[in-house]
Amino acid sequence: MERTSVQKLARVLRVMVIITFVCNIIVLFFVPTLAGMLAENRWDGQTMERLLTGESAGFWLKFSVFSWSPLAWMFALAGEDFYWPVLTLFLLSCGTCTAVILWQGKRVLDTILKGDPFVLDNAKSLKRAAVCCFVISGAALVRVIWGLAYYQSIAPLLTYNALFVPIFLMGGLLFMVMSALFRQAAELKAENDLTI
């Protein structure tokens, strides 16, 4: 059976989604370390060069493992500066939700490749993606409110966090509409299959 142009595009998109998903999972492991470097102002122009050349890769790997330990979190929460824990929790929650969204996209693309996209599983996958968008939007809103209280200025309103709130809210609403459309199409398809 010859593949349609939609299925050819779905195959390419599926590969891209899988690559992005794997990169997302790998980066999630290093989030506490990178957030700690940012919080301590240890990120300079040569840091990435040292990491890429392997000059200090062993140290950063050990430091990344330590960043996940409860001891690192106890030290961070015992201090007066809560920037690192808040940034880390925000990035981990957004990264986890992004991984879930990518996985749901892969599941939808899989049904397109099978030639049967109008199934209830796609509606459920799109609904899960919508929930994740709403979680990211809520986390960004909490971080903006926290930033307003922490910095006692309106500067957090001019950051990417403030942009995440409406963007992911609209994305979640769009996923909800698509979920309803896929659910309706699946129900119509099931009715047509029964009448034939």
Side-chain angles (χ1 to χ4, degrees), residues 6-155:
V6 172
Q7 288 175 321
K8 291 176 186 175
L9 179 62
R11 180 175 296 282
V12 172
L13 287 174
R14 184 178 183 275
V15 170
M16 292 171 64
V17 164
I18 290 171
I19 290 170
T20 307
F21 176 78
V22 170
C23 291
N24 188 355
I25 296 299
I26 291 169
V27 169
L28 275 176
F29 175 73
F30 294 104
V31 162
T33 304
L34 296 174
M37 288 171 58
L38 188 64
E40 297 291 324
N41 290 326
R42 292 187 184 160
W43 191 263
D44 57 9
Q46 297 173 348
T47 303
M48 185 58 80
E49 183 181 334
R50 286 193 305 264
L51 287 173
L52 292 176
T53 59
E55 181 181 319
S56 58
F59 169 75
W60 291 114
L61 186 61
K62 291 175 189 170
F63 188 70
S64 294
V65 172
F66 173 72
S67 297
W68 282 94
S69 71
L71 186 62
W73 286 85
M74 286 184 347
F75 281 135
L77 295 174
E80 294 177 9
D81 189 15
F82 291 108
Y83 183 78
W84 177 77
V86 169
L87 179 63
T88 301
L89 290 175
F90 172 72
L91 293 175
L92 284 175
S93 64
C94 289
T96 303
C97 286
T98 305
V100 171
I101 291 169
L102 288 168
W103 191 255
Q104 300 310 314
K106 180 203 158 298
R107 291 180 62 174
V108 170
L109 290 169
D110 286 342
T111 62
I112 292 171
L113 287 172
K114 290 178 187 173
D116 190 24
F118 300 113
V119 292
L120 285 177
D121 285 343
N122 281 351
K124 292 176 185 175
S125 292
L126 291 169
K127 197 168 202 170
R128 284 185 206 109
V131 169
C132 287
C133 281
F134 293 142
V135 168
I136 292 172
S137 180
L141 181 63
V142 167
R143 183 142 187 254
V144 167
I145 292 170
W146 177 84
L148 290 170
Y150 182 79
Y151 295 112
Q152 296 181 352
S153 77
I154 62 166

Side-chain angles (χ1 to χ4, degrees), residues 171-182:
L173 292 172
L174 181 62
F175 278 130
M176 290 295 281
V177 168
M178 289 173 39
S179 172
L181 287 173
F182 270 85

